[in-house]
Amino acid sequence: MYSTLIPVDEDENRALHQARYVASLADATTDVEATVLHVVSPGEVTRADTVAFEAVDAAVSAAEHLTAADVTVTRRVEDGSVPAAIVDTADELDSQEIVMGGRKRSGVANVLLGSTVHDVFVSTERPVTITGTGMVFGEGDRHVLVPVDKRRERALNQAEYVAQLPGVPESVTATVLYVYPHQDYAGAPPHDFGEIGAAVAAAEFLEERDVAVERVTVGGEVARKILATADDVDASSIVMGGRRRTGVQKVIMGSTAQDILLSSDRPVTITG
């Protein structure tokens, strides 16, 4: 079973979008199990056993949506530091994916990361998917966009995440994309996928696992081209690679990953 952790706060709309993403995964009714988690922070009460799951409307709505979609659901309440409780629960359950809710600034269509999302992101080695409240999720077959840079290890981590998604290989296809930075002018050098070792490695990794792969190269401003390609292929989600701060074993986002998170109207997964 593909284990997903869905930490929810008290925003019901955000929680529903997290649940809809999980329900939209290929073969969700047979191959996916979800744990809906609400963490009671120390500022609210001292113990989780003083709060019933059913008292948290957002958590109930997420769980009920998943149950209605025939996804196996576990309901859970913990207490303490919210990010730490999320990461500890994911480790305990050996979750393959943590699905967090994004935020929107009033009047602006950009998804903003809250401090909890950021703290979880920098504290876990597990893939973190961030949804938003303006997203529409398809069902069934999934087309995943995998934009890579020249770092082979990072590209392989992205490919590994895709390869273990539910429904692979029958219901999942991938586009591995490399963007030649700013090379969209007349007379620009050829855009040759085969020259990018990391891109070739990611594509071959997926193809060896029988995932159908499209290899694409374009030139231009990287984030803008990633978003445009996601539109062109009607991607179900975008899988970005994380980065590591030198000397500190924590994943941090690069500027391109952050730009995609702030601009995409599709779920974005950040891998290690």
Side-chain angles (χ1 to χ4, degrees):
M1 295 290 283
Y2 186 81
S3 174
T4 60
L5 178 64
I6 309 175
V8 301
D9 55 20
E10 296 184 353
D11 188 308
E12 188 170 354
N13 191 31
R14 186 156 58 234
L16 277 172
H17 277 74
Q18 292 168 258
R20 286 170 183 155
Y21 166 78
V22 173
S24 76
L25 293 171
D27 297 341
T29 61
T30 56
D31 294 348
V32 175
E33 58 185 7
T35 297
V36 178
L37 169 69
H38 179 72
V39 181
V40 181
S41 68
E44 298 177 55
V45 293
T46 56
R47 292 178 57 86
D49 57 15
T50 65
V51 175
F53 185 95
E54 290 72 20
V56 184
D57 290 342
V60 171
S61 294
E64 288 182 346
H65 179 85
L66 290 161
T67 299
D70 293 325
V71 177
T72 301
V73 182
T74 299
R75 296 162 166 83
R76 185 160 174 168
V77 178
E78 297 290 343
D79 55 31
S81 163
V82 177
I86 292 169
V87 172
D88 289 347
T89 302
D91 289 345
E92 175 190 335
L93 300 175
D94 195 21
S95 301
Q96 279 109 319
E97 187 169 346
I98 303 172
V99 182
M100 305 289 295
R103 299 188 179 184
K104 290 182 178 289
R105 182 188 294 123
S106 178
V108 179
N110 287 342
V111 178
L112 296 178
L113 295 182
S115 59
T116 297
V117 175
H118 178 268
D119 289 346
V120 169
F121 176 74
V122 301
S123 302
T124 184
E125 298 294 325
R126 301 177 188 277
V128 178
T129 296
I130 299 167
T131 65
T133 55
M135 297 179 179
V136 177
F137 306 103
E139 296 181 359
D141 292 354
R142 300 184 64 76
H143 191 133
V144 183
L145 178 63
V146 187
V148 301
D149 59 17
K150 291 185 176 181
R151 299 194 181 188
R152 187 175 187 273
E153 180 181 1
R154 183 153 62 225
L156 286 173
N157 284 338
Q158 292 167 260
E160 184 176 359
Y161 163 79
V162 175
Q164 51 86 54
L165 283 170
V168 167
E170 292 85 359
S171 301
V172 177
T173 59
T175 293
V176 177
L177 169 70
Y178 180 78
V179 181
Y180 283 82
H182 307 295
Q183 291 188 12
D184 58 351
Y185 52 88
H191 301 148
D192 185 351
F193 190 97
E195 290 184 350
I196 309 302
V200 172
E204 290 180 346
F205 182 96
L206 291 167
E207 289 167 344
E208 288 169 0
R209 287 148 183 83
D210 296 323
V211 178
V213 176
E214 181 182 12
R215 304 179 181 208
V216 176
T217 56
V218 295
E221 194 280 318
V222 177
R224 184 172 62 84
K225 290 296 184 179
I226 291 172
L227 294 169
T229 304
D231 289 340
D232 290 344
V233 303
D234 193 21
S236 304
S237 62
I238 303 172
V239 179
M240 303 293 298
R243 291 189 175 176
R244 294 185 182 277
R245 183 184 297 117
T246 301
V248 179
Q249 292 302 307
K250 288 187 177 180
V251 180
I252 60 171
M253 274 186 290
S255 59
T256 298
Q258 181 168 295
D259 288 346
I260 299 302
L261 279 169
L262 295 176
S263 303
S264 178
D265 58 0
R266 305 167 194 273
V268 177
T269 301
I270 307 293
T271 64

